[in-house]
Amino acid sequence: MEQETAAALAALAERCRGCTACPLCRGRRQAVFGVGNPAARLLFVGEGPGEQEDRRGEPFVGPAGELLNLYLKAVGLRREECYIANIVKCRPPGNRDPLPEEQEACLPFLREQVRLIRPKIIVCLGRVAACRLIRPDFRVTREHGQFVEKKGTLMMGTFHPAALLRGPQQKPAALEDFMALRDRLLALPE
Ligand code: URA
């Protein structure tokens, strides 16, 4: 089953690499499809690749990714046991937020990733992902760390690691969110 999922994800990634559904394809070095365990119970969703990700073809490998790794480590999670993806798979110019129409054009890839991986918990990293996946008026500062169930999947929004690098005063609150996440994962039935 896991092998079938991995094969389906690989085929989807191949399609993603050739995608021209929105203008972001014109500025990319490569599409950044997502990485991780095809059987992951936990899916992280960011907003879109930055410079490093565009170079290396993997999400969250720049400074924001290093901070994400630290949070994972702090609560005893390993990057390899999660799956990590973004709302848009191609780098928005100058790291601007992806436009609504770019998000819309790219969402079929994320929807298919979710359908194949079937995570138990989806964590939205930052406003763009939380507003797109949880609620359009989601406020990270007010609602971070709260779990809501949507179609049988637990969803939570927390601070984007890049925002934490700019505003480190929120780091303790983010750590609490990751601790709550670990507790939820431990409480999941096998
Ligand atoms: N920021 C994101 O939202 N995603 C990445 O992959 C890297 C930085």
Side-chain angles (χ1 to χ4, degrees), residues 32 45-54 58-65 68 79 84-88 95 98 125-126 128-129 160-162:
V32 179
V45 182
E47 61 184 62
E51 221 230 301
Q52 299 280 329
E53 289 77 20
D54 177 65
E58 192 175 317
F60 285 100
V61 289
L68 175 62
R79 204 174 147 102
I84 308 180
N86 281 307
I87 296 284
V88 298
N95 292 346
L125 296 170
V128 169
H160 193 290

Side-chain angles (χ1 to χ4, degrees), residues 41-42 77 120-121 180-189:
R41 306 176 111 202
L42 172 60
L77 292 168
K120 300 276 184 265
I121 302 181
L181 172 61
R182 176 203 46 204
D183 294 347
R184 288 284 181 148
L185 278 166
L186 289 174
L188 287 176

